[in-house]
Amino acid sequence: MDHFKKIFWLALSLLIVLFPAQMQAQTAIQTNVPALKVVYANDFNFGYILSYPHIGFSTDPYVSGQGSVVAPQGGNLVKFHANSMTPGNNMKSIYTIDISASAKAFQAATTQAAKDSIETHPVLKFNGNLIAQLNWAKRQGFTFRGHTLVWHSQSPAEFFRSGYTATGTRLTKEVMTLRMENYIKEVIRLLHQNWPGLLSAMDVVNEAISDSNGAFRTSGNEWYTTFGDQTYILKAFELARKYTIQYGETQMKLYYNDYNTSSASKADGIVKLCKPIFDAGYLDGIGMQEHNSMTSPTASSWISAYNKYYPICSEMAVTELDVTTSSGTNTPSAAILTTQANQYAMLFKCFVERSYKSGRGKIISVTKDGLNDQYTFVTNQSSSLWDVNNQCKPAFYAVANVGIYYNRLDSLIAATQKLNSGNYSTQMWQNITTALNSAKSSLSQNYSASSSAVTGLSNAIANLKKALITYPTQVNELRDKISVHTFCGTIHINNLSKGAQIAVYGLNGALLHSVRASSSNISVPYTVPCIVRAVDGKDMFTRKIIQ
């Protein structure tokens, strides 16, 4: 996965240089749809992982070295739906460590003391695209996730050798520790100096667990080879904590990030690695990349992994989400798009019912990989929520509706549970209880690519509202607002809003009388015993009249 990701981004950079004009035509975004940052405002941040050429505006201040904008509508799409952002490649060490400048400084040193100092103090420089992206996020009021400090891939081999050259001797563990410290320190210093308080998270270590039985990744890992063991991971977190505190960037939560995190064996390996770091007070979060297919993960496997991570972190984030169709095209069949939409819906239902801001769980951020079906890690697989023209796909509507319907049903259930059974006939209360239990089941149910979470949640809302005979997403009993008294076979109801609906039922549930209020006070006939119900806007009043 890592090798192909590197090739993709390098190929994209080449395309930007060679064919900028051909990449300019894009359809205007849809603004008559729910903005995902609004849908999930009380649950988690919503963001994208991408690069500046996908979001730049023509009015942005120019940064030396930045790439040409390839998606002129990308910034509008991201700004409309998101409040969080992650750089695709440009914060990785191969792009931030200036190997050439470090080697030149080492060669130019005239004393051993100067060489020793340079040996442990690499030269760092943020490239134009990273600076432009950080500036863009700051202007738009976004939060920013850093990605990544320590990774076995895309780390220059020269960084682990004396003099910053491929022919230099491999550094000792002690010298490499000092070099790592100053590297991490300088990244955090640069962020603090130019964008104080912008970052909410940093992927300190990325993909240290292999897919083979959750074992620690050793092969192709310069960090492991140089240190001789895996202690570099704990040390990286320790140093990141040290310098976020020193520079006053404690809002920057420190993450371990990986892919295939729903694999049972890999989850066990991640827990084994991260628990001591969390216990030491250095790790805050677990990042789950979520490069998924239409059949994997299942809701149960995702939840099982989430439950394993829960005790070893303070928060969790979905960091690189996509759902590939394996269709080999960006225009798959309607049936495939429906299945993909159901899989996305299943995942977001898992996310929202464990969201950090709602207090239901630890998912604090969900980040979509790439801009759309054209600019994404998994190409020609229609893996995004938006097509190549930034138009919303069935998957987008599924994701939006799951957030809307889940929170609506959750609120409706909570309000229904506060109703007083004494104000209802036996049959009415039985109907409400049956619908309430069904709604709870729909809310807690695990869905799948073949079982739509959107359909399940929306049907539960409709059935519960039907049982309540009301319109709202919340139900309030209005004892303190509406006054009711009876006299000579007439019920007098006061303090209504004009247009309120009044209904009188027998205890068997049969409708006896119905009228819409033409003023704030209304009188209706009754025969005892009966149930009086007033629906006033979003509120409902119910009372049993027994005499």
Side-chain angles (χ1 to χ4, degrees), residues 181-195:
E181 175 168 6
N182 287 303
Y183 153 63
I184 291 174
K185 176 184 179 181
E186 184 65 2
V187 170
I188 296 171
R189 186 194 69 79
L190 287 171
L191 291 169
H192 174 70
Q193 176 179 293
N194 298 285
W195 304 275

Side-chain angles (χ1 to χ4, degrees), residues 261-264 295-307 446:
T261 49
S262 295
S263 161
T295 58
S296 178
T298 63
S300 60
S301 64
W302 190 92
I303 293 168
S304 177
Y306 170 92
N307 289 338
N446 289 340

